[in-house]
Amino acid sequence: IRIVYGSADGYLRMLTNTETSGAESGRESWAFMPRSVMNQQKVLMDEDNGGAFPYGVDGPVVAYVQDFGSSGGVADNVINSGNPDDAAWLFFGLRRSGAFYYGINATDPDNPSLMWRIGSTDVSYTEMGLSFSEPVVARIAYKVNPADTTATTKTVLFVAGGYASKKDGENGSGGNLGTDDGQGNAIYLIDAETGALIWKAKQGTFSVLDNYNDATQTYPHPLLQDSIPSQISVLDTDGDGFADRFYVGDTGGRVWRGDLP
């Protein structure tokens, strides 16, 4: 049994809860510091009470576990790193520390590897605000081309665009409440294994009949004006094992619904 958490000193940490013998542990297996928060180490060292608080790895950690047993087929409640069908992936955002999400492969829990990092500096995610939206892992029936006769099962993350920090202020004290947010006003559907964008909705003008641009994988909507720090609620309405609907609310008071045919 492992425990994973983010901390304000800038690390994502994994602890061993119990040894294989069953004895209590608490031993730290490893710690990962994202490059995006390394500059906060100086703030901690200087102990400057007047400086900005260094939030470190501020977001919750979400685990995706796929268990097919030691030789495939029947789950045995143990992730076997030698079995290509077993997997344990971790996903987290920096929340107050920045506009980035990370994926870590912890299938071999003592030898993790970085799968990907995405954020506002990437061309597909330029709208991303502070990564407040807790990722939701789901499976979808995915077609690269709508004309394809069969769909591929794909593990994905549903993530909202995040928080626009300008909403911390009030009007008259540096805030810009009542104006459109320039960051965070988006919804993302992300390949959980690669971090690649599958689909996104963002503010924009209706342009084509189905309002979807295949080239940019983007659905524009003029009322996506406000940042979305909320976790997305994802549903499988027909019980077939695939997500087919989602809901999320934004900071402007709107609730959004999306359907996955």
Side-chain angles (χ1 to χ4, degrees):
I1 297 173
R2 305 297 178 115
I3 299 169
V4 188
Y5 67 97
S7 56
D9 63 357
Y11 285 100
L12 178 78
R13 300 182 184 276
M14 175 175 277
L15 307 182
T16 300
N17 182 58
T18 52
E19 304 291 353
T20 54
S21 64
E24 299 296 322
S25 176
R27 174 179 57 84
E28 182 176 285
S29 299
W30 50 265
F32 166 66
M33 180 179 287
R35 185 174 297 177
S36 302
V37 302
M38 286 184 179
N39 62 340
Q40 297 180 10
Q41 295 304 299
K42 187 176 187 305
V43 179
L44 290 168
M45 181 183 70
D46 292 344
E47 297 188 77
D48 180 6
N49 293 333
F53 183 81
Y55 285 90
V57 177
D58 194 37
V61 186
V62 175
Y64 166 71
V65 176
Q66 180 172 282
D67 177 16
F68 283 97
S70 58
S71 58
V74 180
D76 58 5
N77 296 318
V78 176
I79 300 304
N80 302 281
S81 58
N83 181 359
D85 294 324
D86 278 10
W89 299 341
L90 308 174
F91 307 104
F92 66 96
L94 297 181
R95 204 169 177 269
R96 274 284 180 187
S97 276
F100 293 98
Y101 285 93
Y102 295 79
I104 290 181
N105 187 340
T107 305
D108 182 349
D110 293 317
N111 294 283
S113 60
L114 181 65
M115 298 165 66
W116 47 260
R117 183 200 78 163
I118 58 173
S120 57
T121 56
D122 300 308
V123 65
S124 296
Y125 302 102
T126 54
E127 312 84 8
M128 190 173 286
L130 296 177
S131 48
F132 272 57
S133 182
E134 182 176 337
V136 176
V137 185
R139 294 195 311 158
I140 64 169
Y142 176 69
K143 293 183 178 182
V144 176
N145 188 318
D148 291 346
T149 56
T150 58
T152 301
T153 298
K154 187 176 285 291
T155 303
V156 298
L157 300 177
F158 288 81
V159 175
Y163 182 62
S165 57
K166 75 173 191 178
K167 284 191 168 171
D168 285 351
E170 299 177 357
N171 284 339
S173 61
N176 294 289
L177 303 184
T179 61
D180 291 357
D181 290 336
Q183 298 294 123
N185 50 336
I187 298 169
Y188 301 109
L189 185 58
I190 301 165
D191 187 313
E193 186 170 11
T194 67
L197 178 69
I198 295 174
W199 178 91
K200 71 177 174 182
K202 69 171 190 175
Q203 187 176 26
T205 303
F206 290 132
S207 56
V208 293
L209 183 61
D210 64 0
N211 205 39
Y212 177 73
N213 187 320
D214 286 316
T216 60
Q217 299 156 288
T218 301
Y219 179 92
H221 197 294
L223 295 182
L224 271 166
Q225 301 165 340
D226 296 281
S227 58
I228 309 178
S230 307
Q231 183 184 44
I232 299 175
S233 294
V234 181
L235 291 82
D236 171 14
T237 60
D238 55 9
D240 65 352
F242 297 109
D244 51 45
R245 185 179 298 174
F246 67 82
Y247 297 92
V248 69
D250 66 26
T251 54
R254 291 187 175 88
V255 177
W256 296 89
R257 166 181 162 173
D259 292 310
L260 289 74

